[in-house]
Amino acid sequence: MRQVIHEVRNHLAVAIANVEGFRDGIIEPTPARLDAVLHALGEIEVLLARAASAERKEGVPES
Amino acid sequence: MTNRKVLIVDDERSLLDVLGQYLQDEGFEVVRASDGPMAVELFSTSHPDLVVLDLNLPGLPGTEVLKRIRAERDVPVIMLTARTDEIDRVVGLELGADDYIGKPFSPREVVARVKSVLRRSERAEHEPSATERQIGAITIDNVAHEVRVDGKWVTLTPTQFKILDVLASHVGQTLTRDQLLERVSADGDVFDRTLDRHIANLRARIEPDPTKPRYIVTVFGVGYKMVKPA
């Protein structure tokens, strides 16, 4: 679980830093940068799906 | 503060890109490395004034990079980490990073910390081996082990003096309970909960109003911080 949290934070760091950069006008939202954000969000989605399925296997009820 | 050189190290190229742009926008010269060995090499060749270093790096862990950098030259280092469980070790005595920023972060926050750590280290360079430290109305003489508040002598126990001295040498920086205990309690005579009592007694002697501390403030869930009252 600790590893998942760590990885989610890393991907969030990429997404947040880029979007703030767009907002602050520091970087241009080029297709490559938008892809980097989408990729980071996609990775978070995968990590959450994996964590949810692991939890189901352990029989812990989802709240 | 212009033309200072910052080395940023992170294996996530997208972060190097954004952070680099923010720092350049503020007038910093930026050097980027995406793995440990590259960071060590660029540190030697590019002579940065400050390093922003991710803890989790391929090739050579961030902690090892920090050790090698410090062995070569004493520059301020700000660690980036997604692992809050590592923070104590990294910022504590063992590795001695100057500051850390947890991931995810706001790039503006990184810029602000870079500036503040640079200011702090430049100030320290200009005031070498001062025996007296002045924080607001408090004067600490760490040779004579004497403390004055508004010019009046205050009597402190050796432990209270140590706590004050450690906090005062990191003004504006939060020290975790573990860091304080480690630095204050060389012979293991100060324990976790008694630290709070020592702090309370210390406040009673140096704070104008100990119930509303202006010098030694509590950072909830983390530790304590010494601040200079405005």
Side-chain angles (χ1 to χ4, degrees):
Chain A
M1 196 57 191
R2 187 178 277 185
Q3 184 60 24
V4 174
I5 292 170
H6 168 217
E7 284 179 36
V8 167
R9 286 190 184 133
N10 268 316
H11 294 305
L12 267 180
V14 171
I16 290 174
N18 274 283
V19 174
E20 285 204 21
F22 303 153
R23 184 202 59 194
D24 293 343
I26 300 289
I27 50 168
E28 292 285 326
T30 58
R33 287 185 179 128
L34 290 169
D35 277 344
V37 174
L38 280 175
H39 175 77
L41 295 176
E43 292 290 320
I44 293 171
E45 194 180 3
V46 170
L47 285 163
L48 289 181
R50 246 186 251 151
S53 107
E55 204 175 43
R56 268 195 304 276
K57 273 179 207 149
E58 282 167 22
V60 183
E62 280 187 75
S63 55
Chain B
M1 196 72 78
T2 49
N3 295 325
R4 291 278 184 276
K5 197 185 278 179
V6 179
L7 169 63
I8 326 174
V9 190
D10 199 300
D11 61 330
E12 191 55 68
R13 284 171 190 275
S14 177
L15 277 181
L16 286 183
D17 169 38
V18 184
L19 281 182
Q21 288 295 326
Y22 267 89
L23 288 166
Q24 277 169 2
D25 207 59
E26 292 285 331
F28 290 99
E29 199 180 322
V30 176
V31 185
R32 300 169 177 84
S34 56
D35 63 45
M38 190 177 169
V40 174
E41 197 193 319
L42 278 178
F43 179 79
S44 304
T45 55
S46 68
H47 307 286
D49 298 291
L50 181 143
V51 182
V52 177
L53 178 63
D54 187 26
L55 200 52
N56 188 30
L57 288 174
L60 198 63
T63 49
E64 191 53 38
V65 174
L66 178 57
K67 274 184 205 152
R68 294 199 191 177
I69 280 177
R70 279 286 160 78
E72 199 171 317
R73 198 158 52 87
D74 190 20
V75 298
V77 176
I78 300 175
M79 300 299 290
L80 300 177
T81 178
R83 297 183 51 175
T84 40
D85 54 324
E86 287 271 18
I87 287 167
D88 263 6
R89 205 163 69 82
V90 166
V91 189
L93 267 189
E94 189 183 348
L95 288 168
D98 296 84
D99 205 349
Y100 75 91
I101 301 169
K103 285 182 172 184
F105 49 73
S106 158
R108 288 183 186 183
E109 173 72 7
V110 178
V111 173
R113 299 280 193 95
V114 165
K115 286 182 178 172
S116 117
V117 168
L118 273 176
R119 263 198 305 272
R120 206 158 69 205
S121 76
E122 277 159 20
R123 211 182 301 134
E125 264 170 39
H126 293 144
E127 292 169 18
S129 65
T131 61
E132 276 202 352
R133 216 182 256 127
Q134 184 78 38
I135 295 144
I138 301 176
T139 311
I140 303 160
D141 184 328
N142 50 20
V143 173
H145 275 235
E146 286 169 345
V147 176
R148 275 166 289 154
V149 179
D150 280 327
K152 284 182 207 126
W153 303 104
V154 197
T155 316
L156 298 183
T157 66
T159 303
Q160 287 163 3
F161 185 86
K162 266 194 258 175
I163 293 172
L164 180 63
D165 192 40
V166 169
L167 284 168
S169 53
H170 298 85
V171 172
Q173 193 185 336
T174 300
L175 295 176
T176 66
R177 309 175 57 82
D178 285 347
Q179 285 169 3
L180 267 174
L181 287 168
E182 189 181 341
R183 292 177 200 202
V184 165
S185 176
D187 35 10
D189 54 350
V190 182
F191 300 101
D192 198 24
R193 279 299 141 189
T194 60
L195 178 67
D196 294 334
R197 188 156 330 143
H198 286 303
I199 295 270
N201 290 335
L202 185 52
R203 280 173 173 159
R205 285 166 175 78
I206 63 162
E207 294 279 357
D209 178 359
T211 61
K212 296 190 188 72
R214 295 169 62 207
Y215 289 100
I216 301 175
V217 297
T218 304
V219 181
F220 287 102
V222 185
Y224 295 98
K225 171 165 84 168
M226 182 128 201
V227 292
K228 201 176 202 157

